[in-house]
Amino acid sequence: GAVVSQHPSWVICKSGTSVKIECRSLDFQATTMFWYRQFPKQSLMLMATSNEGSKATYEQGVEKDKFLINHASLTLSTLTVTSAHPEDSSFYICSAERDRIYEQYFGPGTRLTVT
Amino acid sequence: TQLLEQSPQFLSIQEGENLTVYCNSSSVFSSLQWYRQEPGEGPVLLVTVVTGGEVKKLKRLTFQFGDARKDSSLHITAAQPGDTGLYLCAGAGDAGNMLTFGGGTRLMVKP
């Protein structure tokens, strides 16, 4: 298999606080993980590419100081939304690339609601 | 910038009908993947096509990669309510492993 987990599944936080989302590849090692954001009834929007042991590569328009990504090991990447605001409310999905064959396996997503 | 145009955006059909979803681009992709996503969940990989002209079948689903590797189609035969969901195509460029996603096709199959 190629299972990717995310934690938490959903989180509600107050404006101004920070939230950390974890993405784990459970049965394979992932040199590269990706973080996406998805708005209701829309497709996925790539936020950043996370590479183990190096800095993440952010897409244009994504604030790297607001969305902190750490890929500490071959099975774990974290996304921290700092000083969250209501407009950061969204569905955040991670994916992991297996075996460098350019297939991405997605986590179940994390629904973030900022009040 | 590589773009993938997916059509139709929405499709509502009766159980038993056939349908085709299209994914088109002016760019060449090294591979193209199809995913299905249900509400509140992450996308699930259905298939990857790599070779131009390639056809893959997954039960009632038939996937085709265009000869020039710029387009792809997903055909569902005798659709069932369980096929309801958001179908996404995504292409990988030669430059790397990043995926470009189409806008998605939201399919509803009525019993």
Side-chain angles (χ1 to χ4, degrees):
Chain A
V3 182
V4 177
S5 70
Q6 268 181 257
H7 178 79
S9 299
W10 59 276
V11 56
I12 301 173
C13 70
K14 292 186 177 181
S15 190
T17 61
S18 296
V19 175
K20 180 186 284 188
I21 303 170
E22 293 186 350
C23 177
R24 294 181 185 272
S25 55
L26 299 184
D27 52 1
F28 65 101
Q29 292 184 330
T31 305
T32 305
M33 291 184 173
F34 302 86
W35 286 96
Y36 294 85
R37 187 172 178 177
Q38 186 176 34
F39 292 102
K41 299 184 179 181
Q42 292 187 22
S43 188
L44 279 69
M45 182 185 75
L46 179 64
M47 297 176 65
T49 302
S50 171
N51 297 295
E52 187 267 337
S54 64
K55 290 184 179 180
T57 303
Y58 290 82
E59 293 302 296
Q60 192 172 9
V62 178
E63 300 176 58
K64 60 182 179 182
D65 294 330
K66 180 168 186 62
F67 298 99
L68 301 178
I69 291 173
N70 184 11
H71 196 151
S73 75
L74 287 172
T75 59
L76 172 65
S77 176
T78 61
L79 168 68
T80 301
V81 183
T82 63
S83 187
H85 291 288
E87 57 264 33
D88 298 325
S89 298
S90 191
F91 193 52
Y92 292 88
I93 309 175
C94 72
S95 70
E97 181 188 76
R98 188 184 71 169
D99 300 332
R100 293 190 177 276
I101 54 175
Y102 302 162
E103 287 182 345
Q104 292 185 25
Y105 294 87
F106 286 82
T110 297
R111 183 160 302 284
L112 169 64
T113 300
V114 184
T115 60
Chain B
T1 303
Q2 295 179 309
L3 295 174
L4 267 174
E5 297 282 341
Q6 200 171 332
S7 62
Q9 290 184 335
F10 305 98
L11 195 55
S12 180
I13 60 173
Q14 292 294 133
E15 182 177 1
E17 292 184 2
N18 302 331
L19 67 115
T20 303
V21 178
Y22 299 93
C23 199
N24 296 296
S25 176
S26 58
S27 303
V28 176
F29 293 99
S30 60
S31 68
L32 195 137
Q33 288 136 46
W34 285 92
Y35 293 86
R36 177 167 165 265
Q37 184 182 23
E38 298 198 38
E41 299 182 9
V44 175
L45 179 65
L46 297 174
V47 77
T48 298
V49 285
V50 179
T51 307
E54 182 177 6
V55 177
K56 282 191 174 179
K57 290 191 174 183
L58 186 65
K59 295 184 180 178
R60 294 176 294 100
L61 278 61
T62 302
F63 305 86
Q64 186 164 8
F65 202 12
D67 291 340
R69 291 185 291 136
K70 294 182 178 180
D71 54 87
S72 181
S73 64
L74 157 61
H75 183 78
I76 301 179
T77 304
Q80 299 177 359
D83 296 328
T84 294
L86 176 67
Y87 288 83
L88 296 160
C89 64
D94 290 332
N97 53 1
M98 284 170 46
L99 291 179
T100 298
F101 276 87
T105 295
R106 193 164 296 278
L107 171 67
M108 177 176 289
V109 182
K110 301 175 183 177

